[in-house]
Amino acid sequence: MVANGNRDGRQGEALVLKGVDPETCMIVFKNHWAQVVKILEKHDPLRSNTSSNMASAVQNYVEHILFLLMEEDAGQAGAMGPILEFVVMENVMERLFLWSLRRQFTDDMKLEQLKMYEMIVGQARQPLLHHKPVLRPLMMLLSSCSGTAGPEVEAELVSLLNQLCCVLAKDQSVLELFFHTSEDQGAANFLIFSLLIPFIHREGLVGQQARDALLLIMSLSAENQRVAQHIAENTYFCPVLATGLSGLYSSLPTKLEVPGEEWHCLHREDWLQMPTLVQFLNSLEFCNAVIQVAHPNIRDQLVSYIYNGFLVPVLAPALHKPTLEEVMTTTAYLDLFVRSVSEPVLLQTFLSFILLHRHENVHILDTLVSRINTPFQLGTVSLALFQTLIGLYCEDVMLQLILRYLIPCNHMMLSQRRVVKERDFYSVSAAKILALTPSCCSPEHSPPPLRQLDSILWSKGTDNKTEETFLEEDGSGYSCVIGSEIYLDVNYLHYLYNARLGISSCTRACQVWSAPYDGEDPPPEEYQPSALEEAGARGRQAQKVNPKRSHPHPRPRPPCPPQTTDPAPTNQLELEWDDSYDAGPVVSPEAATAESSKPPQLPAAEPPKHIQEMRRTAIMLVKGSYIEESDFQDDVMVYDLVAKKDARDTVDRRRPSRETLPESEESEIDSEFNLEEDHFKESSLQEKDEVPLSNGLSLPLHPTNMEVNSSEVTKGSKEVKAHVADHNSNLQSPLAEVGDDLMGQYEELIRTLGSDEAGTGGSSPVKTVDKEFRNPVVTPMEEDEVDFSSFSMDTPELEKQHSSLFGTKLCSGSTRSHSVPFTGPFVSVLLSRLENMLDNSLHVNLLLTGILAQLAAYPQPLLQSFLLNTNMVFQPSVRSLYQVLASLKNQIEQQASTKKDFPKLITSAQHCLLARESSLKGQDTNSGDSRECSPLEAGRMMKSSPPPQPKTISLARTEVFATVLFTEFLKELAAIAQEHSILSHVPMEE
Amino acid sequence: TYLNDFWEKGRSDGEEQSGEQQQQRASPARPSFGKKQLPSIPKNAVPITKPASPAATAQLANGTHASYGPFYLEYSLLAEFTLVIKQKLPGIYVQPSYKSALMWFGVIFIRHGLYQDGVFKFTVYIPDNYPDGECPRVVFDIPVFHPLVDPVSGELDVRRAFTKWRRNHNHIWQVLMYARTVFYKINTMEPLNPEAAVLYDKDVQLFKSKVVDSVKLCNSHLFDQPKMDDPYAISFSSWNPAIHDEAKERMFSHKRRPEDHQKGLPVSGLSWVKPGSTQPFSKDDNPPLS
């Protein structure tokens, strides 16, 4: 075999060779070569069988020849050494390659040749690849290996390719040659790159080597336009990478084994145990790295493929799977992915998917927000996802979640706008928050040993005599030293410290934001709901006119007009359903039944019997009467089906004629609207057309000869189709397509009908709309609008809806009637869950309070004043954090007064939480994954505390734990409020 | 401890390059908690009234207030101090004492007018029921010859400017500003130093020469040990290149640092919102769109 000799032997020889003069070497080389040539000429493998003797003879000679070549130094001024010159002149390498090609070109043969090149490329003292007679046979060899080969050959091939990439990275002049050589051959350009692609998603060393090598080329592409262009236009690199994610994703478990109720996100130690997830994350990390180093062309293309080839077709449907468990699992994956991605461009891709993408015409974000309110793990995992999102300090996220609802300042009394920016000089808000401390938890009530050690003596006379003199000197009553001893909550100092850290880092991060959100910038007047809508509409039109603007990334697209305008009366049902969770723990099942049997105020609002039945079931579930999750799931599915059926019935009832109309007729009737719709279709078509790249690859990506797990990809897409089909059959999609652009379209319509009326209505835009709603200008579309408005605006239990909503689909965004101040579904859902704090499990409360504290640490005055300013006067319909806290305090006081052993239980719970914290702290130091642990838990609860006593209390006593947590949360919030009063007002440079 | 972190920053900011250099004593190593004296509890901070809310029933529990009162006071004073920093009062530097947040050391440089070249050290005393008490007092270390400065105690008549101290309206920086103004705009009404008042009105030349003497006297005591034995008391020393050159260097480089800092530090925050827009991902130069 040719180059099989071991290296040790060579090194031995190297020593021998030292001092041997070049002429001698040359003579030996020529001599050996002559022998080889003799054999090659005599024994053409095609004509006669080459005996193994001959082969091994050749091998011996070649070994020596190559060794001499490797050991030769470059000539003067970079000229070729004589041996290399001979190799080039005589075309030695190509002849050797052709000879082995003519023999049976087995894997062993390939292996030999690969190793031979790996050796000379890696060890030669002069550049060899610059010479075509060396490069050409190498390229031929490489392309001959591109087909199917055994694992050994693959490993060797990748190893050699990696080596070649290293050479390229060091010496770019070789690059041109690589291209040219490929051209000569008529094969694909830049062979080494193409050969690496199939190994992108490989696990183990081979995959890692391939990815490393590709990364080298990626960073090369950043500087070399030609490489970048080639990769973007002539290779399958980006599609393979992105669809590979889809393939790998499809092999992830669809249902996670959840270790315990407390579990809410995938920690490092969790995913390390899941090889498929590790593999996925490897590939994701690789994408991240590519985006980081590659040329913008490649980066953009990859990001676009990830969006269109993974997020939209795979992840979006996965987030809408039928069972709770599957959806929970997907949510946990999404959370992990967002946490794993570091490159802003890739993060942006994920975020715009979450914030702007619509699945079945519902924003992913709305769906995710609404799930916070679901029981069991889904709610918790959703909370954890939002904790991650809020922790990104991303303006776009905060804008969509909360700020856009606060900008118009409609949530507060008009007179309060000037208060937004005011600073709380005297910690008034903090005092008010802390005054909510339940009496059973107030500092002086805490029994020793717990509190005593937590407190500290602030007294006179701890210092030396200088202080005495000082006091004497200043005997005028301005003494600042207190005479009596008081106890202070040292624990609170830690909260202050954490608050300081939290606010500082958040403030620093938010420096990149576009506006301060202080009630003046963005100006509330300009962003009154109607103005927003118009802006949105303008944006959409602009996009229609010039769809190229968003090419090739349909991602950051402002909301698109929905394809149909049918409102979704079904949502009312969902509202009802979710309402039951919301009110569940507070309202007893009996009460709930009673309530639901009340005479209906709106026919549509009254859920059918079976729904009521299920609602009761849900209440019982929440109350803990049922334990088996599977029972619940069935209910959910049944509910889902029933809801869909009902929805269809409702629609049928409402628009009997329309439902039966053939499509063409319908579009005629809706000409006004469809004009715009057609525009949209057109533009979306254009976008579709644009997605294929200039190299003619089509988006669905069938990299036929690439090694992607194509079956898995197909599986994924089948699932998608099935899902879509399922929904279509249930008439889900037309119903869900309310979309938040309804208002936008409506106003557009108004503009076209009577532009003067709408145009002047800057101050009372809602009224204008309102009027239009009631004015029966009869077009089918408006008929729908009336339906819509009838339950979104005039529902008597408006406030209740706001607070409870599962119907975020309905309420979110601009769809909501803006006559009612609303701080957004996210805040609403959070506060709803907080309201039920006493019934929530400990970890839910930890997450909830953690998220709220995270939000409170944001320096934007709009957010700060909404969450922390206890003096702010809000509109009556707006629920504030302080209100919720106050009502919690009352609930707690009630509990405490009715339960005799409450103080004792509190003490046990405090001990239990202390123990929990110390164990958590231990974990923290072990796992270095700082992003994964909620920042809250680490800093929460009493520090510098005594070793916990082993008193036990069942975690099922949620009200007890919640009380302790509530008290701590108050301190946390107060500390944040206090730090804001000094930090947020210091100019940044300090 | 928070207070002092802040104040140290404020101080380094507030140093000025005059002929003399202020010299700070090295702060002593501070024990974590408990050493620091905190002022007594202020009167209940009664929040500004607000229309009835569901929470109106929640009263200020005395218990929590007793425990947290000192924190409220400390943060109120801290807020005042941040305001002082923000105001960038010309020629005025203050520094809270080590022992109490209610006592601030200060120095004022008079740059022109009758008191030109005067460097007056003073102490601000803040009442412990701040902000609900009287206005803070300002006492000069050496009684400056001035109609409004008590010739014996050195106290400046601040109260005439702040007859009633109003929380949220009056701030300590205003007192400091006032202390500066009196040296540029002489008022002789109801003087604490009648001699000075009379002289100013009747014989300005003599007044001027008395002021010059007073300024000389004050400046001659500049390098004295601080009146208070407090680690954060302001003390002056003559220029010592070994100490001051480096400090000066740092002060000058400090001004340039912020931008350098921003370049080097990875920005942890994210935004793709176009300024003036409230649409997410509205920036034109979003990286992938470029």
Side-chain angles (χ1 to χ4, degrees):
Chain A
M1 309 249 109
V2 180
N4 249 358
N6 60 17
R7 276 155 209 200
D8 294 345
R10 291 241 164 65
Q11 266 155 17
E13 253 178 281
L15 289 175
V16 175
L17 257 185
K18 238 173 203 170
V20 178
D21 66 300
E23 283 90 39
T24 317
C25 288
M26 188 66 196
I27 291 163
V28 174
F29 185 92
K30 281 187 174 162
N31 204 349
H32 284 341
W33 178 244
Q35 299 297 321
V36 173
V37 171
K38 225 185 254 171
I39 298 172
L40 296 192
E41 279 171 356
K42 263 194 194 158
H43 303 272
D44 187 336
L46 286 184
R47 267 174 272 145
S48 60
N49 261 348
T50 316
S51 70
S52 56
N53 275 347
M54 286 302 129
S56 74
V58 170
Q59 176 211 343
N60 261 330
Y61 286 124
V62 168
E63 246 175 61
H64 279 94
I65 285 170
L66 292 182
F67 178 67
L68 288 166
L69 174 63
M70 260 161 46
E71 289 296 317
E72 187 186 56
D73 288 311
Q76 291 199 327
M80 285 186 270
I83 294 179
L84 178 58
E85 201 172 350
F86 186 85
V87 168
V88 169
M89 299 295 290
E90 294 287 314
N91 222 351
V92 170
M93 299 310 286
E94 189 160 349
R95 288 174 77 175
L96 284 173
F97 173 72
L98 287 175
W99 190 68
S100 53
L101 202 63
R102 282 163 169 247
R103 293 167 58 206
Q104 283 176 317
F105 199 50
T106 58
D107 275 6
D108 284 346
M109 242 18 152
K110 291 175 187 169
L111 210 55
E112 258 168 39
Q113 294 268 323
L114 289 170
K115 282 186 172 163
M116 183 176 90
Y117 275 101
E118 193 184 354
M119 191 178 75
I120 60 169
V121 169
Q123 297 182 36
R125 296 179 184 177
Q126 51 189 331
L128 301 179
L129 297 174
H130 284 99
H131 308 290
K132 247 185 195 174
V134 181
L135 195 58
R136 256 172 56 100
L138 168 62
M139 298 308 262
M140 288 192 281
L141 169 67
L142 290 176
S143 56
S144 70
C145 289
S146 67
T148 48
E152 267 184 80
V153 176
E154 282 187 343
E156 195 55 40
L157 175 66
V158 170
S159 170
L160 175 59
L161 290 170
N162 185 305
Q163 203 178 26
L164 291 172
C165 289
C166 289
V167 172
L168 271 184
K170 275 184 222 146
D171 179 6
Q172 286 197 36
S173 59
V174 191
L175 197 64
E176 288 298 303
L177 294 164
F178 272 101
F179 274 111
H180 286 309
T181 318
S182 311
E183 277 161 13
D184 285 358
Q185 241 194 307
N189 283 328
F190 209 14
L191 188 63
I192 49 173
F193 182 80
S194 312
L195 285 176
L196 280 166
I197 292 179
F199 300 96
I200 290 178
H201 299 290
R202 214 34 100 73
E203 49 189 329
L205 181 70
V206 172
Q208 197 52 51
Q209 265 187 330
R211 288 190 289 269
D212 289 347
L214 285 166
L215 270 187
L216 286 172
I217 296 179
M218 284 305 130
S219 36
L220 205 65
S221 78
E223 295 149 29
N224 191 309
Q225 176 66 34
R226 180 170 179 191
V227 173
Q229 203 179 339
H230 172 75
I231 292 171
E233 290 175 12
N234 303 320
T235 75
Y236 291 104
F237 179 67
C238 293
V240 166
L241 203 46
T243 45
L245 287 180
S246 302
L248 291 172
Y249 185 87
S250 70
S251 59
L252 295 181
T254 49
K255 291 179 187 179
L256 285 175
E257 296 273 326
V258 173
E261 214 200 332
E262 195 164 340
W263 183 88
H264 58 266
C265 73
L266 281 161
H267 290 281
R268 196 181 162 76
E269 57 270 23
D270 295 333
W271 57 259
L272 278 178
Q273 316 247 322
M274 301 167 56
T276 49
L277 192 49
V278 170
Q279 215 187 328
F280 182 91
L281 288 176
N282 278 342
S283 289
L284 186 62
E285 193 193 343
F286 180 63
C287 291
N288 194 65
V290 168
I291 289 167
Q292 197 165 23
V293 298
H295 189 276
N297 288 355
I298 299 172
R299 181 190 70 191
D300 293 357
Q301 198 188 43
L302 177 56
V303 150
S304 166
Y305 273 103
I306 288 175
Y307 190 84
N308 296 303
F310 169 58
L311 292 175
V312 171
V314 176
L315 209 56
L319 279 168
H320 293 81
K321 288 214 171 141
T323 72
L324 219 62
E325 272 175 320
E326 286 172 300
V327 169
M328 183 274 287
T329 302
T330 314
T331 310
Y333 288 149
L334 179 58
D335 173 54
L336 175 63
F337 300 160
V338 172
R339 278 186 284 129
S340 310
V341 166
S342 67
E343 191 55 24
V345 179
L346 188 52
L347 204 52
Q348 186 201 9
T349 311
F350 274 86
L351 291 179
S352 57
F353 167 72
I354 293 172
L355 299 182
L356 298 182
H357 178 65
R358 295 151 155 245
H359 184 76
E360 320 254 309
N361 253 316
V362 178
H363 279 118
I364 299 276
L365 183 70
D366 291 340
T367 307
L368 293 174
V369 166
S370 68
R371 284 175 183 162
I372 290 176
N373 231 354
T374 51
F376 304 115
Q377 228 83 35
L378 178 57
T380 330
V381 171
S382 301
L383 275 175
L385 171 64
F386 280 101
Q387 192 170 41
T388 301
L389 292 177
I390 293 167
L392 293 174
Y393 303 131
C394 174
E395 182 174 7
D396 309 62
V397 170
M398 293 301 287
L399 193 60
Q400 287 301 90
L401 275 183
I402 305 171
L403 288 171
R404 65 173 170 149
Y405 301 98
L406 301 182
I407 291 171
C409 289
N410 287 337
H411 59 290
M412 63 184 84
M413 294 295 182
L414 197 64
S415 63
Q416 296 291 298
R417 286 197 190 174
R418 57 177 176 85
V419 185
V420 170
K421 276 172 87 174
E422 259 175 29
R423 98 153 104 170
D424 180 10
F425 275 104
Y426 311 112
S427 300
V428 173
S429 292
K432 242 183 139 181
I433 291 170
L434 284 169
L436 294 178
T437 307
S439 52
C440 53
C441 293
S442 83
E444 72 264 32
H445 274 99
S446 287
L450 246 179
R451 274 294 159 168
Q452 204 168 40
L453 281 164
D454 284 337
S455 305
I456 202 160
L457 200 59
W458 300 68
S459 76
K460 167 185 189 175
T462 47
D463 227 318
N464 53 25
K465 55 182 180 289
T466 56
E467 182 201 318
E468 312 278 343
T469 50
F470 153 63
L471 280 173
E472 275 161 30
E473 266 176 19
D474 182 37
S476 54
Y478 285 101
S479 151
C480 56
V481 179
I482 28 166
S484 59
E485 301 175 353
I486 57 157
Y487 288 95
L488 277 177
D489 199 352
V490 168
N491 171 10
Y492 189 62
L493 285 178
H494 293 287
Y495 281 116
L496 285 170
Y497 182 68
N498 279 351
R500 186 181 187 79
L501 291 183
I503 295 171
S504 309
S505 54
C506 187
T507 309
R508 223 175 303 124
C510 292
Q511 278 179 286
V512 298
W513 285 26
S514 73
Y517 298 94
D518 56 1
E520 289 173 17
D521 180 14
E525 298 76 25
E526 273 180 41
Y527 292 99
Q528 290 304 312
S530 66
L532 272 180
E533 283 312 314
E534 275 173 45
R538 272 199 300 273
R540 281 191 298 278
Q541 272 176 339
Q543 215 181 14
K544 271 169 235 143
V545 171
N546 181 16
K548 281 235 165 183
R549 204 191 142 309
S550 62
H551 165 81
H553 311 275
R555 308 166 286 111
R557 183 190 305 149
C560 311
Q563 272 126 22
T564 66
T565 44
D566 304 351
T570 21
N571 287 330
Q572 189 62 20
L573 301 177
E574 289 184 50
L575 268 177
E576 288 294 327
W577 166 255
D578 211 54
D579 199 30
S580 64
Y581 289 120
D582 197 44
V586 184
V587 183
S588 69
E590 295 79 12
T593 330
E595 192 188 63
S596 55
S597 58
K598 265 190 270 176
Q601 309 201 286
L602 284 169
E606 172 63 15
K609 269 249 161 58
H610 47 268
I611 300 278
Q612 290 175 35
E613 207 61 48
M614 264 186 304
R615 178 207 264 176
R616 223 169 299 135
T617 317
I619 291 165
M620 282 194 280
L621 270 161
V622 173
K623 286 248 161 204
S625 319
Y626 289 7
I627 318 150
E628 283 172 72
E629 234 171 280
S630 52
D631 285 358
F632 178 75
Q633 267 165 33
D634 292 340
D635 287 351
V636 166
M637 284 195 291
V638 171
Y639 168 75
D640 206 22
L641 291 173
V642 170
K644 283 170 186 166
K645 184 181 163 288
D646 281 354
R648 187 178 48 208
D649 291 346
T650 319
V651 172
D652 288 343
R653 243 180 291 121
R654 284 180 183 221
R655 309 178 296 117
S657 56
R658 175 150 186 184
E659 200 60 25
T660 48
L661 281 176
E663 280 240 323
S664 54
E665 256 180 87
E666 200 175 317
S667 58
E668 269 174 48
I669 293 171
D670 281 357
S671 59
E672 181 75 63
F673 169 68
N674 277 356
L675 202 72
E676 181 190 323
E677 192 189 331
D678 287 342
H679 271 296
F680 168 68
K681 277 178 183 158
E682 222 173 271
S683 70
S684 71
L685 270 178
Q686 274 173 22
E687 269 156 5
K688 267 181 201 156
D689 287 339
E690 278 164 14
V691 172
L693 299 150
S694 44
N695 57 5
L697 299 180
S698 60
L699 183 59
L701 319 165
H702 308 291
T704 37
N705 43 7
M706 295 298 135
E707 188 152 329
V708 185
N709 204 334
S710 57
S711 65
E712 277 167 343
V713 176
T714 340
K715 198 173 99 199
S717 70
K718 260 183 205 155
E719 256 166 2
V720 176
K721 274 179 201 146
H723 194 73
V724 171
D726 172 53
H727 276 273
N728 284 342
S729 68
N730 283 309
L731 271 174
Q732 174 76 10
S733 44
L735 292 170
E737 282 166 353
V738 192
D740 21 347
D741 291 274
L742 231 95
M743 286 296 268
Q745 285 155 16
Y746 198 76
E747 292 200 0
E748 217 161 299
L749 188 80
I750 289 168
R751 266 201 306 279
T752 53
L753 290 177
S755 52
D756 46 337
E757 191 174 18
T760 52
S763 58
S764 56
V766 180
K767 261 190 199 153
T768 321
V769 175
D770 216 344
K771 201 170 153 198
E772 288 295 326
F773 272 140
R774 277 153 232 265
N775 262 348
V777 183
V778 186
T779 72
M781 176 192 155
E782 287 202 354
E783 190 187 352
D784 291 340
E785 297 290 351
V786 174
D787 284 347
F788 161 67
S789 71
S790 71
F791 59 82
S792 84
M793 280 165 84
D794 301 326
T795 314
E797 287 187 2
L798 205 51
E799 161 61 359
K800 203 175 161 207
Q801 263 187 29
H802 291 169
S803 61
S804 51
L805 55 107
F806 195 81
T808 37
K809 287 172 190 172
L810 182 84
C811 297
S812 79
S814 39
T815 333
R816 164 166 290 272
S817 144
H818 288 284
S819 58
V820 180
F822 182 53
T823 52
F826 183 62
V827 165
S828 187
V829 171
L830 278 187
L831 293 183
S832 292
R833 285 219 83 165
L834 187 70
E835 207 154 47
N836 294 335
M837 194 173 180
L838 298 191
D839 300 287
N840 288 341
S841 64
L842 173 66
H843 55 275
V844 166
N845 282 334
L846 278 170
L847 273 169
L848 260 182
T849 54
I851 289 176
L852 284 163
Q854 232 179 338
L855 291 175
Y858 271 88
Q860 285 69 29
L862 274 179
L863 203 50
Q864 233 187 85
S865 61
F866 174 63
L867 292 175
L868 294 173
N869 190 338
T870 55
N871 290 324
M872 198 86 171
V873 188
F874 297 111
Q875 296 286 354
S877 63
V878 167
R879 198 167 33 161
S880 72
L881 175 59
Y882 182 73
Q883 278 172 9
V884 173
L885 293 174
S887 91
L888 278 172
K889 179 208 160 70
N890 288 340
Q891 289 177 41
I892 290 170
E893 298 292 1
Q894 237 169 0
Q895 296 252 8
S897 63
T898 51
K899 290 178 186 162
K900 272 187 187 161
D901 57 343
F902 208 65
K904 266 190 198 162
L905 288 172
I906 295 277
T907 312
S908 321
Q910 283 170 335
H911 282 299
C912 177
L913 287 171
L914 277 176
R916 181 180 182 277
E917 185 185 273
S918 29
S919 73
L920 266 183
K921 258 194 246 166
Q923 278 177 20
D924 272 5
T925 43
N926 287 341
S927 69
D929 209 337
S930 59
R931 278 185 81 190
E932 297 218 340
C933 185
S934 84
L936 214 221
E937 288 178 31
R940 174 175 281 286
M941 302 312 297
M942 297 135 278
K943 296 194 171 168
S944 63
S945 42
Q949 291 171 5
K951 280 182 198 165
T952 49
I953 171 170
S954 158
L955 276 170
R957 303 300 301 262
T958 54
E959 79 283 3
V960 177
F961 281 96
T963 301
V964 177
L965 207 62
F966 176 73
T967 309
E968 297 301 316
F969 183 45
L970 293 178
K971 289 185 210 167
E972 190 172 23
L973 286 177
I976 292 170
Q978 283 205 292
E979 285 293 340
H980 269 310
S981 74
I982 53 170
L983 277 181
S984 305
H985 298 271
V986 176
M988 269 326 287
E989 65 263 25
E990 266 125 39
Chain B
T1 42
Y2 298 113
L3 220 46
N4 279 306
D5 286 350
F6 242 95
W7 287 344
E8 291 195 37
K9 278 184 207 153
R11 182 182 50 191
S12 61
D13 242 45
E15 274 168 329
E16 89 164 24
Q17 331 95 7
S18 62
E20 293 95 347
Q21 275 292 317
Q22 286 169 262
Q23 181 196 11
Q24 276 94 40
R25 300 185 191 176
S27 347
R30 312 198 80 215
S32 51
F33 302 120
K35 274 271 188 143
K36 181 145 197 269
Q37 298 291 334
L38 264 202
S40 60
I41 308 136
K43 280 168 194 153
N44 269 1
V46 182
I48 301 157
T49 47
K50 154 185 177 180
S53 72
T57 45
Q59 292 155 350
L60 286 181
N62 273 332
T64 58
H65 206 82
S67 307
Y68 298 105
F71 289 108
Y72 306 152
L73 179 58
E74 179 147 344
Y75 272 76
S76 301
L77 294 170
L78 203 41
E80 288 290 349
F81 190 72
T82 58
L83 260 193
V84 172
I85 295 174
K86 227 179 176 176
Q87 296 300 324
K88 296 191 165 68
L89 302 173
I92 296 183
Y93 303 93
V94 283
Q95 157 79 21
S97 80
Y98 172 75
K99 293 201 181 89
S100 166
L102 291 168
M103 185 167 68
W104 296 8
F105 302 117
V107 62
I108 181 167
F109 295 84
I110 305 298
R111 283 150 181 174
H112 51 87
L114 292 170
Y115 291 85
Q116 186 169 352
D117 298 332
V119 180
F120 309 124
K121 290 205 272 186
F122 61 89
T123 309
V124 181
Y125 297 97
I126 301 153
D128 61 3
N129 55 353
Y130 179 85
D132 298 312
E134 312 240 292
C135 70
R137 298 192 311 152
V138 174
V139 180
F140 288 101
D141 284 14
I142 298 166
V144 195
F145 185 75
H146 189 285
L148 300 187
V149 175
D150 189 302
V152 182
S153 67
E155 177 158 0
L156 172 71
D157 186 1
V158 177
R159 216 162 294 175
R160 69 169 60 215
F162 303 90
T163 42
K164 189 173 185 317
W165 188 261
R166 288 153 68 211
R167 53 160 44 219
N168 276 317
H169 287 276
N170 292 130
H171 295 292
I172 292 173
W173 71 267
Q174 295 163 340
V175 174
L176 299 176
M177 196 61 179
Y178 173 73
R180 178 179 177 273
T181 316
V182 298
F183 292 106
Y184 293 104
K185 216 180 152 192
I186 311 289
N187 185 349
T188 56
M189 298 283 282
E190 296 173 48
L192 289 184
N193 185 344
E195 189 204 345
V198 170
L199 272 186
Y200 181 77
D201 288 337
K202 302 274 152 78
D203 186 352
V204 181
Q205 284 314 312
L206 186 56
F207 178 81
K208 276 186 182 166
S209 74
K210 284 239 174 194
V211 166
V212 169
D213 292 346
S214 180
V215 166
K216 272 185 187 157
L217 180 76
C218 288
N219 290 0
S220 70
H221 287 283
L222 206 57
F223 297 96
D224 289 2
Q225 280 299 302
K227 213 170 131 196
M228 309 275 180
D229 183 22
D230 188 288
Y232 290 169
I234 297 173
S235 71
F236 285 78
S237 65
S238 48
W239 185 267
N240 176 356
I243 299 169
H244 297 128
D245 277 352
E246 195 206 329
K248 189 178 168 188
E249 174 97 4
R250 251 185 297 139
M251 259 160 52
F252 279 95
S253 61
H254 178 77
K255 287 194 176 156
R256 263 169 272 123
R257 215 192 297 150
E259 300 107 56
D260 297 350
H261 235 63
Q262 279 175 352
K263 265 186 223 159
L265 273 179
V267 185
S268 52
L270 299 166
S271 171
W272 293 280
V273 181
K274 185 179 174 183
S277 161
T278 54
Q279 295 295 316
F281 309 107
S282 48
K283 251 184 201 170
D284 291 332
D285 56 339
N286 274 344
L289 300 173
S290 59

